Amino acid sequence: MAQQKEIYDYLRSVDCCRVCCLRFLKGTKEEFVDIDTALRKRDLEPADQENGEHKAKKLKENVCIACLGLFDLDRIATLACEVKEHTAYQQYRCEAGFLTSISLPIVLHLRQLALWFDVVDRFPQTFFPGTPPDIAVKDALKMIIIHQLERTLEKPFSVDGVMVNVPYTYANEEEELRTLEQVSPGVFANRKANKHTKKEFISRNAFEKHFTPSMINSDRFRKHYAVPPVSSEEVGLVRGELTFTGPTIFLAGRYNKFSRELSQTPWMIDGKRKMAGSVQETIGASVAPHFGVSDEQLIFSSSGREDVDVRCLGEGRPFVLEIVDAKTDQLPEDVAIRMEQEVGTSQTVAIRDIQLVKREDLVHIRHGEEDKRKFYRALCVTAEPVTEEMVRKLRIDEPFVMQQVTPLRVLHRRTLLARPRTVYSVKAFACRENAHAMVVDIVSQAGTYIKELVHSDFGRTGPSFRSIIGAEIDIHALDVMAIDLDWPKKLRR
């Protein structure tokens, strides 16, 4: 206890603020949120000393040599009120709460280093060259700010909440950091020679790696930088403008595509649109307004994709919209129903089962794609009239593996490879209305090029329906009937 008091009194004598003193005494979260009580309980300050006396004394003090005024508790208290009243924050309606992103200048690490050298020399039984002497500035600041924000905003801290961005700068930072070149010139010579680091004087990671009492010469450091560091009344940290970032949320569902003239995502070639709309844009137009974003901000992904001229029927294809900086993290049932109805009025796209999901749920749609099965129905045409023998040959119950060389039609955007794909079953039916047509139901491994399975793509796919029946055959129309993925949860609205 006596040693603790001695450390506290010394740090106060060299212009460390009360919070920074507590950092060097390894204070707890509870102590940082009530600094007055903490110091009294530790017998570091008289029990009858009032806050008013602290404030009056503080006006006469220099800026803290460790934090450069960062832990001005009055300013921190007003920060929480500023957040609550900020018009940019008020546009968010997020039940999850908030989180903080605090940007601090690197010079605080330099000042910590100078104090580290100092306390190791003065209190060798308590502080050591290889162990940081204090609670990190940012950690202590977060403890205090988060407590203040939770109390003021009446919402919890949550990684899924609205991010409060709090930047700080220091006018003399570059001047102070330049002294490091004299302390460890080799570090900066290497950084200037490296094309990835030559444009940045020093990074936070590089500082922490190269500048600790065990890594640099104490006498050289003291020659070029004050130990303990010094400050003045005039120059301290300056807080920049508060900004806010909404959570990234994920909306999942299933879509049907009824048009044979609609791409899944915007189809652009050389900056020019090939089609007026897309599945993504049709859905986005109904979803984006509720979350306060533009539909261009939505990131669309799905369990595979169909060609422009292919319909997607049945219960639909699972999809996810990633919504960055969402203004709300809620999707009321009536809003979800309205979104589904609005998309349905397009007559080309329908959606169902839309719901909010967690990021970790995306594993269902992003992994194991080639293990999934897809169910198709193809309308095929033959050069010769369809015979019973053709239909019989295209009724295959046993799985078979074919090799597909990248189709010519997608070679401009896909690597040239031979890909093995499994066809699990084929079932053909002759058409009564057309002697040259048959309908074929196909169950295959995801990633199978069905059109090429039918006509062989000039022999690049084999075996193909053409090779199996020994006659020319092509595909006239194709529908996706089902996708073997029981996700997201079926809501049956």
Side-chain angles (χ1 to χ4, degrees), residues 55-75:
K55 291 178 182 177
K57 183 181 179 182
K58 190 173 180 181
L59 294 174
K60 302 173 185 177
E61 293 180 344
N62 289 333
V63 172
C64 172
I65 62 171
C67 72
L68 293 170
L70 180 67
F71 291 111
D72 183 323
L73 298 181
D74 292 334
R75 289 165 64 187

Side-chain angles (χ1 to χ4, degrees), residues 26-188:
K26 300 297 178 75
T28 64
K29 177 182 177 181
E30 291 72 21
E31 289 180 313
F32 280 114
V33 300
D34 189 353
I35 189 76
D36 295 319
T37 301
L39 296 178
R40 286 198 296 270
K41 283 186 175 180
R42 286 178 178 245
D43 293 326
L44 299 176
E45 290 186 351
D48 59 349
Q49 192 167 2
E50 295 296 328
N51 287 343
E53 291 184 32
H54 282 308
K55 291 178 182 177
K57 183 181 179 182
K58 190 173 180 181
L59 294 174
K60 302 173 185 177
E61 293 180 344
N62 289 333
V63 172
C64 172
I65 62 171
C67 72
L68 293 170
L70 180 67
F71 291 111
D72 183 323
L73 298 181
D74 292 334
R75 289 165 64 187
I76 291 175
T78 62
L79 171 89
C81 295
E82 281 185 53
V83 171
K84 184 176 183 178
E85 295 168 4
H86 205 293
T87 54
Y89 174 75
Q90 291 173 354
Q91 68 181 321
Y92 293 96
R93 305 180 309 281
C94 296
E95 296 300 319
F98 70 92
L99 71 161
T100 58
S101 173
I102 300 171
S103 175
L104 297 176
I106 298 174
V107 72
L108 294 183
H109 289 278
L110 175 57
R111 288 175 166 269
Q112 180 225 34
L113 178 60
L115 271 170
W116 193 345
F117 273 119
D118 192 33
V119 296
V120 165
D121 284 350
R122 292 178 181 277
F123 308 102
Q125 294 181 326
T126 304
F127 301 103
F128 309 98
T131 305
D134 57 351
I135 301 293
V137 171
K138 184 175 284 190
D139 292 341
L141 183 62
K142 283 190 172 183
M143 292 179 201
I144 297 170
I145 286 181
I146 288 171
H147 172 74
Q148 295 274 9
L149 287 172
E150 284 183 327
R151 191 169 59 180
T152 303
L153 302 180
E154 298 180 327
K155 287 188 176 180
F157 175 85
S158 168
V159 295
D160 297 319
V162 178
M163 182 177 289
V164 182
N165 303 296
V166 189
Y168 288 89
T169 58
Y170 179 56
N172 295 347
E173 177 169 51
E174 184 175 352
E175 178 185 341
E176 287 196 26
L177 291 178
R178 285 288 172 187
T179 61
L180 295 173
E181 280 189 296
Q182 276 68 51
V183 177
S184 294
V187 170
F188 296 93

Side-chain angles (χ1 to χ4, degrees), residues 186-194 197-198 200-203 206:
V187 170
F188 296 93
N190 292 336
R191 288 183 66 79
K192 290 175 182 177
N194 187 319
T197 60
K198 64 182 181 180
E200 185 180 31
F201 180 70
I202 187 74
S203 68

Side-chain angles (χ1 to χ4, degrees), residues 1-11 44 122-123:
M1 188 65 73
Q3 175 83 69
Q4 179 177 261
K5 175 66 172 169
E6 186 180 353
I7 294 170
Y8 180 80
D9 288 344
Y10 170 70
L11 291 174
L44 299 176
R122 292 178 181 277
F123 308 102

Side-chain angles (χ1 to χ4, degrees), residues 265-430:
T265 55
W267 188 8
M268 310 285 288
I269 297 180
D270 296 329
K272 296 181 179 179
R273 268 187 173 273
K274 297 295 290 183
M275 293 197 161
S278 65
V279 173
Q280 174 184 329
E281 290 165 305
T282 304
I283 298 172
S286 296
V287 169
H290 172 71
F291 295 101
V293 300
S294 66
D295 54 357
E296 290 86 359
Q297 289 178 255
L298 303 177
I299 302 172
F300 181 91
S301 56
S302 64
S303 179
R305 61 188 301 145
E306 64 283 324
D307 289 341
V308 169
D309 58 352
V310 175
R311 297 186 301 180
C312 184
L313 308 178
E315 294 195 336
R317 186 184 295 277
F319 73 91
V320 172
L321 286 175
E322 181 176 345
I323 306 169
V324 179
D325 193 21
K327 301 306 183 291
T328 179
D329 57 4
Q330 302 297 303
L331 181 63
E333 182 71 4
D334 62 321
V335 174
I337 291 171
R338 187 173 71 247
M339 288 177 181
E340 293 182 352
Q341 291 172 341
E342 285 181 4
V343 173
T345 62
S346 69
Q347 303 296 309
T348 58
V349 179
I351 58 174
R352 68 180 74 190
D353 303 328
I354 63 169
Q355 57 199 275
L356 297 182
V357 296
K358 297 291 186 183
R359 184 185 293 272
E360 51 267 29
D361 293 332
L362 304 191
V363 66
H364 296 288
I365 206 166
R366 292 180 175 172
H367 298 283
E369 181 64 27
E370 292 189 358
D371 296 329
K372 298 168 187 171
R373 296 188 181 195
K374 304 288 176 74
F375 300 76
Y376 300 91
R377 177 162 290 168
L379 176 60
C380 300
V381 293
T382 56
E384 304 169 10
V386 174
T387 64
E388 288 186 15
E389 181 67 7
M390 290 180 184
V391 172
R392 185 187 65 77
K393 287 181 177 180
L394 290 179
R395 290 198 169 183
I396 305 169
D397 295 325
E398 293 298 318
F400 66 91
V401 177
M402 61 170 182
Q403 296 291 328
Q404 284 200 312
V405 177
T406 305
L408 294 172
R409 64 188 173 91
V410 299
L411 197 53
H412 65 285
R413 56 185 170 87
R414 293 286 171 87
T415 306
L416 178 61
L417 288 174
R419 299 174 177 85
R421 290 291 184 265
T422 301
V423 178
Y424 297 101
S425 67
V426 178
K427 193 169 187 179
F429 304 87

